[in-house]
Short mmCIF file of all heavy atoms in Angstrom, two decimals:
data_model
loop_
_atom_site.label_atom_id
_atom_site.label_comp_id
_atom_site.label_asym_id
_atom_site.label_seq_id
_atom_site.Cartn_x
_atom_site.Cartn_y
_atom_site.Cartn_z
N GLN Q 4 190.39 169.43 74.56
CA GLN Q 4 191.01 169.83 75.82
C GLN Q 4 190.77 168.79 76.90
O GLN Q 4 189.64 168.35 77.13
CB GLN Q 4 190.47 171.19 76.28
CG GLN Q 4 191.11 171.69 77.57
CD GLN Q 4 190.51 173.01 78.04
OE1 GLN Q 4 189.58 173.53 77.43
NE2 GLN Q 4 191.06 173.55 79.12
N LEU Q 5 191.84 168.38 77.59
CA LEU Q 5 191.75 167.42 78.68
C LEU Q 5 191.65 168.18 80.00
O LEU Q 5 192.47 169.07 80.27
CB LEU Q 5 192.97 166.51 78.68
CG LEU Q 5 192.95 165.32 79.63
CD1 LEU Q 5 191.86 164.33 79.24
CD2 LEU Q 5 194.31 164.62 79.64
N VAL Q 6 190.65 167.83 80.82
CA VAL Q 6 190.37 168.58 82.04
C VAL Q 6 190.37 167.63 83.23
O VAL Q 6 189.69 166.60 83.22
CB VAL Q 6 189.01 169.30 81.96
CG1 VAL Q 6 188.73 170.08 83.24
CG2 VAL Q 6 188.97 170.23 80.75
N ASP Q 7 191.13 167.96 84.27
CA ASP Q 7 191.08 167.21 85.52
C ASP Q 7 189.83 167.62 86.30
O ASP Q 7 189.34 168.74 86.18
CB ASP Q 7 192.33 167.46 86.36
CG ASP Q 7 193.58 166.86 85.75
OD1 ASP Q 7 193.45 165.83 85.06
OD2 ASP Q 7 194.67 167.42 85.95
N THR Q 8 189.32 166.71 87.13
CA THR Q 8 188.15 167.01 87.95
C THR Q 8 188.50 166.83 89.43
O THR Q 8 189.58 166.35 89.79
CB THR Q 8 186.97 166.09 87.61
OG1 THR Q 8 187.18 164.79 88.18
CG2 THR Q 8 186.79 165.97 86.10
N ALA Q 9 187.54 167.18 90.27
CA ALA Q 9 187.71 167.03 91.71
C ALA Q 9 187.28 165.66 92.20
O ALA Q 9 187.37 165.38 93.40
CB ALA Q 9 186.90 168.12 92.44
N ALA Q 10 186.82 164.80 91.31
CA ALA Q 10 186.35 163.47 91.70
C ALA Q 10 187.51 162.50 91.71
O ALA Q 10 188.03 162.11 90.66
CB ALA Q 10 185.26 163.00 90.74
N LYS Q 11 187.96 162.12 92.91
CA LYS Q 11 189.12 161.25 93.07
C LYS Q 11 188.81 160.17 94.09
O LYS Q 11 188.17 160.43 95.11
CB LYS Q 11 190.34 162.06 93.53
CG LYS Q 11 190.69 163.21 92.58
CD LYS Q 11 191.85 164.03 93.12
CE LYS Q 11 192.12 165.24 92.23
NZ LYS Q 11 192.54 164.85 90.87
N ALA Q 12 189.28 158.95 93.84
CA ALA Q 12 189.09 157.82 94.75
C ALA Q 12 190.45 157.25 95.12
O ALA Q 12 191.27 156.97 94.25
CB ALA Q 12 188.23 156.74 94.11
N GLY Q 13 190.68 157.05 96.41
CA GLY Q 13 191.95 156.52 96.88
C GLY Q 13 192.84 157.62 97.43
O GLY Q 13 192.39 158.75 97.65
N PRO Q 14 194.12 157.31 97.70
CA PRO Q 14 194.79 156.05 97.34
C PRO Q 14 194.37 154.87 98.21
O PRO Q 14 193.99 155.05 99.36
CB PRO Q 14 196.27 156.38 97.55
CG PRO Q 14 196.26 157.46 98.59
CD PRO Q 14 195.03 158.27 98.34
N PHE Q 15 194.43 153.69 97.61
CA PHE Q 15 194.13 152.44 98.30
C PHE Q 15 195.44 151.73 98.58
O PHE Q 15 196.20 151.43 97.66
CB PHE Q 15 193.21 151.57 97.45
CG PHE Q 15 191.91 152.26 97.12
CD1 PHE Q 15 191.71 152.85 95.87
CD2 PHE Q 15 190.88 152.31 98.04
CE1 PHE Q 15 190.53 153.48 95.57
CE2 PHE Q 15 189.69 152.95 97.74
CZ PHE Q 15 189.50 153.54 96.51
N PHE Q 16 195.70 151.47 99.85
CA PHE Q 16 196.98 150.89 100.28
C PHE Q 16 196.82 149.41 100.59
O PHE Q 16 195.70 148.92 100.78
CB PHE Q 16 197.50 151.63 101.51
CG PHE Q 16 197.82 153.07 101.26
CD1 PHE Q 16 196.91 154.06 101.60
CD2 PHE Q 16 199.02 153.43 100.67
CE1 PHE Q 16 197.20 155.39 101.36
CE2 PHE Q 16 199.32 154.77 100.43
CZ PHE Q 16 198.40 155.75 100.78
N PRO Q 17 197.95 148.69 100.69
CA PRO Q 17 197.88 147.27 101.07
C PRO Q 17 197.26 147.14 102.46
O PRO Q 17 197.28 148.07 103.27
CB PRO Q 17 199.34 146.83 101.07
CG PRO Q 17 200.05 147.81 100.21
CD PRO Q 17 199.32 149.11 100.40
N PHE Q 18 196.70 145.96 102.73
CA PHE Q 18 196.14 145.71 104.05
C PHE Q 18 197.25 145.75 105.10
O PHE Q 18 198.40 145.41 104.83
CB PHE Q 18 195.43 144.36 104.09
CG PHE Q 18 194.15 144.34 103.31
CD1 PHE Q 18 194.06 143.65 102.12
CD2 PHE Q 18 193.05 145.04 103.76
CE1 PHE Q 18 192.89 143.64 101.39
CE2 PHE Q 18 191.87 145.04 103.04
CZ PHE Q 18 191.78 144.34 101.85
N ARG Q 19 196.89 146.18 106.30
CA ARG Q 19 197.85 146.30 107.39
C ARG Q 19 198.58 144.97 107.61
O ARG Q 19 197.97 143.91 107.68
CB ARG Q 19 197.13 146.71 108.67
CG ARG Q 19 198.07 147.06 109.84
CD ARG Q 19 197.26 147.37 111.09
NE ARG Q 19 196.36 148.47 110.86
CZ ARG Q 19 196.69 149.75 110.99
NH1 ARG Q 19 197.93 150.08 111.34
NH2 ARG Q 19 195.79 150.71 110.77
N GLY Q 20 199.88 145.05 107.75
CA GLY Q 20 200.67 143.87 108.03
C GLY Q 20 201.07 143.07 106.81
O GLY Q 20 201.66 142.01 106.92
N THR Q 21 200.73 143.58 105.60
CA THR Q 21 201.10 142.88 104.37
C THR Q 21 201.83 143.85 103.44
O THR Q 21 201.75 145.07 103.60
CB THR Q 21 199.88 142.33 103.62
OG1 THR Q 21 199.18 143.40 102.98
CG2 THR Q 21 198.94 141.60 104.58
N ASP Q 22 202.53 143.29 102.47
CA ASP Q 22 203.16 144.12 101.45
C ASP Q 22 202.57 143.83 100.07
O ASP Q 22 203.15 144.15 99.04
CB ASP Q 22 204.67 143.89 101.42
CG ASP Q 22 205.04 142.42 101.16
OD1 ASP Q 22 204.12 141.59 101.02
OD2 ASP Q 22 206.25 142.13 101.09
N GLN Q 23 201.38 143.22 100.08
CA GLN Q 23 200.73 142.90 98.82
C GLN Q 23 200.07 144.14 98.23
O GLN Q 23 199.53 144.97 98.96
CB GLN Q 23 199.68 141.80 99.01
CG GLN Q 23 200.26 140.47 99.48
CD GLN Q 23 201.25 139.92 98.48
OE1 GLN Q 23 200.97 139.85 97.29
NE2 GLN Q 23 202.44 139.54 98.96
N PRO Q 24 200.07 144.30 96.90
CA PRO Q 24 199.41 145.45 96.27
C PRO Q 24 197.92 145.49 96.63
O PRO Q 24 197.32 144.47 96.96
CB PRO Q 24 199.61 145.20 94.77
CG PRO Q 24 200.80 144.31 94.69
CD PRO Q 24 200.75 143.45 95.92
N ALA Q 25 197.34 146.68 96.56
CA ALA Q 25 195.94 146.84 96.94
C ALA Q 25 194.99 146.10 96.00
O ALA Q 25 193.92 145.67 96.41
CB ALA Q 25 195.59 148.34 96.96
N ASN Q 26 195.36 145.96 94.71
CA ASN Q 26 194.48 145.33 93.72
C ASN Q 26 193.13 146.02 93.68
O ASN Q 26 192.09 145.37 93.56
CB ASN Q 26 194.31 143.84 94.00
CG ASN Q 26 195.55 143.04 93.66
OD1 ASN Q 26 196.30 143.41 92.75
ND2 ASN Q 26 195.79 141.96 94.39
N ALA Q 27 193.14 147.33 93.81
CA ALA Q 27 191.90 148.09 93.73
C ALA Q 27 191.42 148.15 92.29
O ALA Q 27 192.19 147.97 91.35
CB ALA Q 27 192.12 149.50 94.28
N SER Q 28 190.12 148.41 92.10
CA SER Q 28 189.57 148.53 90.76
C SER Q 28 188.50 149.61 90.75
O SER Q 28 188.00 150.02 91.80
CB SER Q 28 188.98 147.20 90.28
OG SER Q 28 187.97 146.75 91.16
N ALA Q 29 188.17 150.09 89.57
CA ALA Q 29 187.18 151.15 89.43
C ALA Q 29 186.38 150.93 88.16
O ALA Q 29 186.87 150.33 87.21
CB ALA Q 29 187.85 152.52 89.40
N ALA Q 30 185.15 151.42 88.16
CA ALA Q 30 184.30 151.29 86.98
C ALA Q 30 183.39 152.50 86.88
O ALA Q 30 182.82 152.94 87.88
CB ALA Q 30 183.46 150.02 87.04
N VAL Q 31 183.26 153.05 85.70
CA VAL Q 31 182.26 154.07 85.43
C VAL Q 31 181.01 153.36 84.92
O VAL Q 31 181.05 152.68 83.90
CB VAL Q 31 182.76 155.09 84.38
CG1 VAL Q 31 181.62 156.00 83.93
CG2 VAL Q 31 183.89 155.93 84.96
#
């Protein structure tokens, strides 16, 4: 069984004044 959790990070948006992707990353 796959279970969602309440632990969420983001959303991470581009820096103000740019249209570049956030390039965010995560690690357990």
Side-chain angles (χ1 to χ4, degrees):
Q4 182 182 3
L5 188 65
V6 180
D7 290 331
T8 77
K11 303 177 184 297
F15 301 101
F16 296 98
F18 289 109
R19 188 184 301 275
T21 74
D22 58 358
Q23 297 299 311
N26 287 330
S28 58
V31 170

